[in-house]
Amino acid sequence: MTKRVSWLNKRLEFLHGEIVDWQNITISVVALLLLLGVLLPLLQWGFWGAVWSGDVAQCHSNGACWIYIEKNVRHLLYGLYPKEASWRMDFLALLVSCQLLLIWQVKTNQVRILFALILAWVMPVLTYYLCYGGILGLQVVPPQYWGGLLMNFIFSAYSIATAFFIGGLLALIRQKNWGIYSALVKIFIDLMRGLPLVSLLFFATLVLPYFFFDYHGSSKIVRLYWVFTLFGSAYMSEAIRGGLQSVSQGQREAAQVLGLSEYQSMISVVMPQALQIALPSIMNLVVALFKDSTLLSTIAVLDVVGMMQATSSRVEWMPYAVEGYLFVGFVFWLSCYGLSAVSASVEKKIKVYR
């Protein structure tokens, strides 16, 4: 309370001394009026005058038609996946969420690494066979029916987890200066970072089929997965390499004095510090790659954006595509905000500040 009174006294002294920048005050008032002029009509359209339930015939041009979300929510979540088999997607999303929660909350690094390895290398294979079916009496669902928001979430989680391990390996190889191997890694990283992700996705869709056998018409999603993963690993490796370079040579020398081998020193001393230093950059890449998963819609994959565009192309929903884009934008903003909050929490725990 004392601090608040002191602050108020200082403000009053400031105004009493007529040390007032009227130009800034005028600009602030004008900006506030402009904001209200934009915000109030938007609130009127999106909330007060919106139609929240009922039939599409009740929608009008003076308000948002959120009935579009209500009627198409299943397609936006699952794509064209059969309703009777949608429990598979629910199960996988729950399983991935539990693994991510354990990786975040568990304090033992060995356990975290174990769950991360499962997420990166075991879960993609399990997901493919469970989603495709044909085993244990499960209905076969071709990959062209996979889609929706849950696909964005699962696809991104697996791809980012795998990219993290590949990126760490690439960073170590480039850091060690192992002759031709380091040179090849540098070429790969520069190539991936120099090409737009969209062009790589089109390459995976249109060019790679000439070189790989299309097993049951399903290798498209596999090709996209690996191209997306390798693209992310190139950026991930540079973030981790920056962390490795920030660890002082004295840390390595201290580990050698304690009798640790070069491998033990890297795993137990250098890499944990490097990851702590690189955490903000890594989390920034996680957010960016999660948002980039919406680019799958450009190559006819029915992710949440693709399904939104498909459903809004129907005659009755054509006037309400804006509501679909707003819904998708809000979901991704909320997800990215949650990732940022998790990152801030982790940084606070390990005392790494930007």
Side-chain angles (χ1 to χ4, degrees), residues 31-42:
L32 181 60
L33 292 175
L34 290 175
L35 179 62
L36 290 176
V38 173
L39 190 60
L40 289 178
L42 183 61

Side-chain angles (χ1 to χ4, degrees), residues 172-291:
L172 288 175
I173 295 175
R174 189 171 181 185
Q175 181 78 4
K176 288 296 182 180
N177 293 322
W178 287 344
I180 185 65
Y181 301 107
S182 298
L184 291 175
V185 167
K186 185 179 184 302
I187 292 173
F188 168 78
I189 292 174
D190 291 339
L191 180 64
M192 285 293 173
R193 294 173 66 197
L195 293 174
L197 179 57
V198 173
S199 66
L200 293 173
L201 294 177
F202 274 103
F203 177 81
T205 304
L206 303 176
V207 179
L208 286 184
Y210 290 102
F211 303 97
F212 294 94
F213 179 69
D214 197 3
Y215 180 73
H216 289 304
S218 60
S219 62
K220 176 182 177 180
I221 193 65
V222 176
R223 294 193 304 270
L224 292 174
Y225 171 79
W226 280 110
V227 167
F228 197 91
T229 299
L230 293 176
F231 177 83
S233 68
Y235 285 88
M236 199 72 73
S237 68
E238 290 300 279
I240 297 174
R241 189 169 70 92
L244 290 172
Q245 291 179 337
S246 299
V247 179
S248 65
Q249 183 63 29
Q251 297 290 322
R252 296 177 173 86
E253 294 174 355
Q256 292 177 356
V257 170
L258 292 174
L260 299 179
S261 64
E262 184 177 0
Y263 172 78
Q264 292 173 327
S265 173
M266 178 59 66
I267 296 299
S268 303
V269 178
V270 178
M271 186 58 77
Q273 297 183 62
L275 292 179
Q276 290 180 6
I277 295 171
L279 179 63
S281 299
I282 292 174
M283 289 305 299
N284 181 56
L285 285 173
V286 170
V287 171
L289 290 172
F290 176 61
K291 292 188 295 184

Side-chain angles (χ1 to χ4, degrees), residues 40-285:
L40 289 178
L42 183 61
L43 291 175
Q44 173 64 32
W45 176 84
F47 292 94
W48 304 324
V51 179
W52 295 89
S53 61
D55 191 74
V56 66
Q58 300 175 349
C59 295
H60 50 82
S61 60
N62 295 326
C65 183
W66 298 119
I67 299 175
Y68 165 80
I69 306 300
E70 178 188 352
K71 299 297 184 181
N72 296 283
V73 64
R74 191 188 174 279
H75 290 305
L76 294 174
L77 286 177
Y78 301 100
L80 298 179
Y81 212 81
K83 185 176 182 179
E84 61 274 12
S86 59
W87 65 267
R88 306 183 206 173
M89 301 294 290
D90 295 331
F91 172 74
L92 290 171
L94 179 62
L95 194 58
V96 171
S97 300
C98 291
Q99 287 180 300
L100 292 175
L101 183 62
L102 289 172
I103 293 172
W104 175 29
Q105 292 293 335
V106 171
K107 296 181 179 180
T108 307
N109 289 332
Q110 289 81 357
V111 178
R112 283 181 174 176
I113 293 174
L114 176 62
F115 280 113
L117 286 171
I118 293 174
L119 183 65
W121 302 106
V122 178
M123 287 300 298
V125 179
L126 174 64
T127 298
Y128 173 77
Y129 284 105
L130 184 60
C131 288
Y132 186 81
I135 57 173
L136 302 176
L138 295 176
Q139 174 189 356
V140 174
V141 182
Q144 56 264 33
Y145 293 97
W146 305 358
L149 181 62
L150 292 183
M151 179 183 176
N152 286 87
F153 170 66
I154 296 172
F155 184 94
S156 301
Y158 296 162
S159 180
I160 293 170
T162 309
F164 173 78
F165 286 102
I166 297 177
L169 179 61
L170 295 177
L172 288 175
I173 295 175
R174 189 171 181 185
Q175 181 78 4
K176 288 296 182 180
N177 293 322
W178 287 344
I180 185 65
Y181 301 107
S182 298
L184 291 175
V185 167
K186 185 179 184 302
I187 292 173
F188 168 78
I189 292 174
D190 291 339
L191 180 64
M192 285 293 173
R193 294 173 66 197
L195 293 174
L197 179 57
V198 173
S199 66
L200 293 173
L201 294 177
F202 274 103
F203 177 81
T205 304
L206 303 176
V207 179
L208 286 184
Y210 290 102
F211 303 97
F212 294 94
F213 179 69
D214 197 3
Y215 180 73
H216 289 304
S218 60
S219 62
K220 176 182 177 180
I221 193 65
V222 176
R223 294 193 304 270
L224 292 174
Y225 171 79
W226 280 110
V227 167
F228 197 91
T229 299
L230 293 176
F231 177 83
S233 68
Y235 285 88
M236 199 72 73
S237 68
E238 290 300 279
I240 297 174
R241 189 169 70 92
L244 290 172
Q245 291 179 337
S246 299
V247 179
S248 65
Q249 183 63 29
Q251 297 290 322
R252 296 177 173 86
E253 294 174 355
Q256 292 177 356
V257 170
L258 292 174
L260 299 179
S261 64
E262 184 177 0
Y263 172 78
Q264 292 173 327
S265 173
M266 178 59 66
I267 296 299
S268 303
V269 178
V270 178
M271 186 58 77
Q273 297 183 62
L275 292 179
Q276 290 180 6
I277 295 171
L279 179 63
S281 299
I282 292 174
M283 289 305 299
N284 181 56
L285 285 173

